[in-house]
Amino acid sequence: MAITVKNPIVEMDGDEMTRIIWQMIKEKLLLPHLKMDLKYFDLGVKHRDETDDQVTIDAANAVIRFGVGVKCATITPNAARVKEYGLKQAWKSPNGTIRSVLDGTVFRKPITVQCIPPAVRSWKKPISIGRHAYGDIYRSVEFQVPGAGRAEMTFTPASGGDRVVLSIHDFKGPGVIMGMHNTEKSVRSFARACIAYALGEKCDLWFGAKDTISKTYHGFFKELFDQEVGERKADLDRAGVKYRYMLIDDAVAQIMKAEGGMLWACMNYDGDVMSDMVASGFGSLGLMTSVLVSPDGKYVYEAAHGTVMRHYYEHLKGNPTSTNSVASIFAWTGALARRAELDGTPEVAVFARKLEAAVLATIEAGVMTKDLAAIAEPRPGKHAQTEEFISAVAKRL
Ligand code: NAP
Ligand code: MG
């Protein structure tokens, strides 16, 4: 008998190989067992183009309404993609759009499997990364300086006070400049989301920036973080959660010697880069999950990897593929578990846990995709193809 998921989940479909996996997961692992009300949005690049990207905004607003979303990986178009798909323009990153509608923070957490030892010997527990998902270079204004001239930064107060003009550089020849920003509101909600996550998971909270060099910009982040942590000190102490501020380069060095089990809060760019490093250190991009959390508690779950384009091209040629579907499956179980918590439906949470257990047990039984087979101990004799792995999980489930 199917288990009923009481309230809707916002489903965002995506592109290329992950779109193919998405369909298999639904068909083989979810729909046979669950009765769900899915609010479906097709974020495939063609449909984004047809709707002038309105579908992405509609999907984000649906998450605000229903509280829980699950997203397939999507193409962020560049010039090559515009040509490949005949797009009207290089639409913005859907993830960027959804993040800014929700003003959210992205947390990434690796899925640890017993037979896959981390590349870093000291890592024993998962390292979660909290990426500040607003501003900095992702909302910057860039300008290629054509030749000699003065670059300045100007601030004009809305209140009508004096303009502030700062000199950036007196160019003697061509160069480049960038203006970036962040807001107190966004940095505070980032800090709060990280504190909430650390309290929820009862894990230590690390934050790293470069306030020795960027005394004002990075210093601003450090100061607001310190303030927010100060306000929750009693709760953090009670939960045994320790907060550490480090220079970003020190944090990178420390993480390589640590046991793991902490939340590492990162500024936007650091989080983008370090989450990929941590993901591959724990095994494969296919084992990294991601969740976007808004300050008022709306959640979007997804895999941290992209659309796995190279595999898709092989698939189109009719060649077999071995694409890891684990992170996409865990995106669904994350959304289901969250829905269960909000709806008070423990049977849905139990199903999500069983599906996760079936995935891990399948891998531990030696059935895994090529990316994992290469690093598993002991090495399996052969690797499973994309669909073969999902079918093995379905059978175990
Ligand atoms: P990618 O999709 O993350 O894949 C890069 C490589 O990593 C693959 O070629 C594959 O290596 C390996 N890999 C990643 N996920 C895997 C999985 N599940 N199973 C097995 N191997 C996996 O990055 P990309 O190919 O550079 O980007 C493709 C598209 O994804 C781009 O258009 C980009 O805009 C988009 N993207 C979307 C998101 C998102 O929606 N969240 C995130 C990142 C990128 P091998 O080739 O060595 O097998
Ligand atoms: Mg990245």
Side-chain angles (χ1 to χ4, degrees), residues 16 18 21 71-77 81 95 108 284-286 302-311 322-325 369 371:
E16 301 192 314
T18 40
I21 288 175
K71 182 183 165 291
C72 177
T74 46
I75 289 172
T76 298
R81 297 302 208 154
N95 285 41
R108 286 180 174 188
S284 160
L285 264 178
E302 67 169 338
H305 59 76
T307 62
V308 209
M309 179 179 83
R310 195 187 66 75
H311 296 207
S322 183
T323 314
N324 191 341
S325 51
T369 45
D371 54 321

Side-chain angles (χ1 to χ4, degrees), residues 199-221:
L199 285 170
E201 301 257 319
K202 297 214 179 338
C203 61
D204 285 351
L205 172 59
W206 290 19
F207 178 53
K210 194 74 181 180
D211 67 301
T212 44
I213 300 298
S214 170
K215 291 189 167 58
T216 305
Y217 200 107
H218 285 225
F220 186 76
F221 276 77

Side-chain angles (χ1 to χ4, degrees), residues 258-379:
E259 230 195 27
M262 73 289 281
L263 166 63
W264 185 8
C266 290
M267 287 174 71
N268 209 346
Y269 177 81
D270 297 333
D272 185 345
V273 175
M274 291 305 164
S275 59
D276 288 343
M277 184 202 66
V278 169
S280 66
F282 273 102
S284 160
L285 264 178
L287 288 181
M288 190 69 141
T289 58
S290 168
V291 55
L292 173 73
V293 184
S294 77
D296 57 345
K298 316 288 183 193
Y299 287 69
V300 178
Y301 294 84
E302 67 169 338
H305 59 76
T307 62
V308 209
M309 179 179 83
R310 195 187 66 75
H311 296 207
Y312 181 60
Y313 285 171
E314 290 303 316
H315 172 82
L316 288 182
K317 283 190 247 162
N319 294 333
T321 56
S322 183
T323 314
N324 191 341
S325 51
V326 172
S328 300
I329 298 171
F330 274 64
W332 277 99
T333 55
L336 287 167
R338 181 73 201 157
R339 190 71 277 170
E341 199 183 317
L342 293 173
D343 297 349
T345 49
E347 63 282 9
V348 174
V350 167
F351 173 81
R353 272 202 301 275
K354 280 188 182 165
L355 176 49
E356 291 181 351
V359 169
L360 300 180
T362 301
I363 298 171
E364 266 145 30
V367 180
M368 63 192 85
T369 45
K370 195 174 179 182
D371 54 321
L372 302 184
I375 51 173
E377 275 173 18
R379 296 251 156 115

